[in-house]
Amino acid sequence: MSLHEERAGKEMKLFCFPYAGGLPSIYYGWRRVLSPTFLEIDPFEVRPSFPGDSIVLSTSIHEVLEDVYQRITPNLGEEPFAFFGHSMGGLIAFELTRKLLQNGGPLPQHLFLSASRVPHAYRKLVKTYDLPHNEFIESLRTLGGTPDEILDNHELLELFLPTIRADFQAVQTYEMNTDLPQKIPVNMSVLFGKEDSIELQDIVAWRDYGGRECKFYPMPGGHFFIHHQMNPILAIIQDTLNAKQTVAIRAQF
């Protein structure tokens, strides 16, 4: 059977990338909802080390991306797969697809970008990663993505804070690599919170980065609607992937 023939009976794998400072465990609940015979959920750890490890944490998206690329490519074969990323995870998913395209690797069937601004909009981000300790903690509390049980627990905070700061620095200093192709030949679904602070123009501009279909899904809530809208999100994923012919695809040159 060739790469372009339908792979009947083969489930699709969905690699899921968390937001800055988030853990892949935010996707564990999805496994209990979707049937593994249809879709295998793979929460991918953007940073493979455990919090508190005595290592130098990368503060560059492109260094993080290179590490993700090296770890994920052995898992990308002839079986169909898709990417889902929330916030920073969406940026990782998009940049990873560009890197696969450049290197002639297998491409995702679909790209789900959740609460993710377009690459050229990152230059507008206010820098918070280098704020003094107390101000940074308050900025995290205002943003709403870090659980209070971490922010209010000194021991947990000491474990997680270096990774959170490194992720924020990676995102807030990101610049698009113009050596890679800007447009990707992959269908995209863009989910965004109706009460998010991301400007709508920085959401709809995703259509300029895709060479194929790009659909938009407004969701109730702010930037972290992912924690409150699991069922609607999974319905979008399931309906989208169900409509696709599960065929492994590769970059065409």
Side-chain angles (χ1 to χ4, degrees):
M1 178 178 290
S2 72
L3 287 179
H4 299 284
E5 293 175 328
E6 185 173 1
R7 305 186 62 84
K10 298 294 184 180
E11 75 277 0
M12 187 181 293
K13 178 175 285 190
L14 181 67
F15 293 95
C16 299
F17 304 98
Y19 49 79
L23 297 174
S25 57
I26 66 174
Y27 298 111
Y28 288 174
W30 292 17
R31 290 172 165 169
R32 296 191 293 269
V33 179
L34 290 182
S35 168
T37 59
F38 163 70
L39 183 67
E40 180 185 348
I41 301 293
D42 190 333
F44 197 83
E45 196 162 18
V46 172
R47 295 187 184 272
S49 60
F50 292 102
D53 279 0
S54 57
I55 63 171
V56 177
L57 292 168
S58 173
T59 56
S60 162
I61 277 289
H62 300 296
E63 291 179 4
V64 173
L65 175 68
E66 181 61 31
D67 178 66
V68 169
Y69 176 79
Q70 295 298 330
R71 288 187 290 116
I72 202 171
T73 46
N75 299 310
L76 306 180
E78 297 185 2
E79 302 306 322
F81 64 93
F83 290 155
F84 181 101
H86 189 86
S87 195
M88 184 186 82
L91 181 60
I92 292 292
F94 173 72
E95 286 285 4
L96 180 58
T97 303
R98 294 175 72 211
K99 194 171 183 66
L100 289 167
L101 176 61
Q102 182 193 46
N103 295 334
L107 300 180
Q109 291 277 320
H110 202 91
L111 198 60
F112 295 94
L113 304 172
S114 176
S116 298
R117 53 177 49 82
V118 289
H120 67 258
Y122 278 82
R123 63 177 180 267
K124 298 189 292 186
L125 284 180
V126 176
K127 306 296 188 291
T128 62
Y129 68 87
D130 55 354
L131 287 174
H133 179 83
N134 289 342
E135 292 180 40
F136 185 65
I137 300 307
E138 286 309 307
S139 73
L140 293 178
R141 201 182 300 276
T142 300
L143 188 60
T146 308
D148 286 338
E149 53 264 33
I150 292 179
L151 296 178
D152 295 334
N153 186 305
H154 178 73
E155 288 76 15
L156 285 178
L157 198 57
E158 288 300 309
L159 284 175
F160 285 98
L161 197 58
T163 300
I164 297 173
R165 275 195 187 270
D167 279 356
F168 273 56
Q169 183 171 353
V171 168
Q172 293 170 0
T173 58
Y174 162 79
E175 292 184 6
M176 190 174 184
N177 181 0
T178 56
D179 292 334
L180 297 178
Q182 174 174 312
K183 288 196 173 186
I184 55 173
V186 176
N187 290 341
M188 297 191 297
S189 293
V190 180
L191 293 72
F192 61 97
K194 291 188 284 188
E195 299 169 28
D196 200 342
S197 61
I198 300 177
E199 296 178 27
L200 188 59
Q201 65 185 25
D202 295 334
I203 295 292
V204 298
W206 272 116
R207 60 192 173 197
D208 298 328
Y209 288 84
R212 295 186 178 176
E213 185 179 65
C214 184
K215 292 185 177 181
F216 297 90
Y217 298 91
M219 307 295 294
H223 192 66
F224 292 99
F225 63 82
I226 190 172
H227 293 304
H228 313 290
Q229 303 296 330
M230 180 182 72
N231 289 335
I233 292 172
L234 292 183
I236 291 170
I237 292 172
Q238 187 163 8
D239 290 346
T240 300
L241 296 183
N242 230 356
K244 290 181 175 294
Q245 184 185 27
T246 54
V247 182
I249 58 176
R250 286 183 177 272
Q252 300 296 313
F253 295 93

